[in-house]
């Protein structure tokens, strides 16, 4: 099964969007509670993991084209 370049481009775009969202969560705020900071940290880790998964899909798709 071959992947169209459009599909690979879409995966790259989604990975980049997740990177941007994770970067936005990397900012700390003065007076922020520990619970909020912990939630933000977990959300950032989740987004980074999803971006890594998209990059792995991209590598698999490029290997099959």
């Amino acid at each position: 099964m071959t992947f169209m370049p459009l599909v690979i481009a879409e995966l790259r775009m989604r990975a980049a969007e997740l990177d941007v969202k994770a970067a936005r969560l990397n900012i700390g705020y003065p007076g922020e509670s520990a619970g909020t900071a912990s939630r933000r940290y977990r959300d950032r880790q989740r987004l980074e993991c999803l971006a890594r998964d998209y990059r792995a899909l991209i590598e698999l798709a490029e290997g099959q084209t």
Side-chain angles (χ1 to χ4, degrees):
M1 176 176 171
T2 60
F3 290 91
M4 297 176 61
L6 183 62
V7 173
I8 295 171
E10 179 72 24
L11 289 172
R12 282 190 180 141
M13 188 174 68
R14 289 185 184 191
E17 288 174 353
L18 291 170
D19 286 336
V20 170
K21 287 180 182 179
R24 272 189 289 168
L25 291 174
N26 200 21
I27 299 170
Y29 300 100
E32 181 178 40
S33 69
T36 303
S38 176
R39 188 176 318 109
R40 194 172 35 79
Y41 176 78
R42 288 191 313 269
D43 288 345
R44 190 184 83 216
Q45 294 297 321
R46 182 181 52 82
L47 291 172
E48 289 173 351
C49 181
L50 284 171
R52 276 194 307 271
D53 291 344
Y54 275 118
R55 285 192 194 89
L57 285 173
I58 291 167
E59 288 179 18
L60 287 172
E62 287 176 337
Q64 292 184 2
T65 58

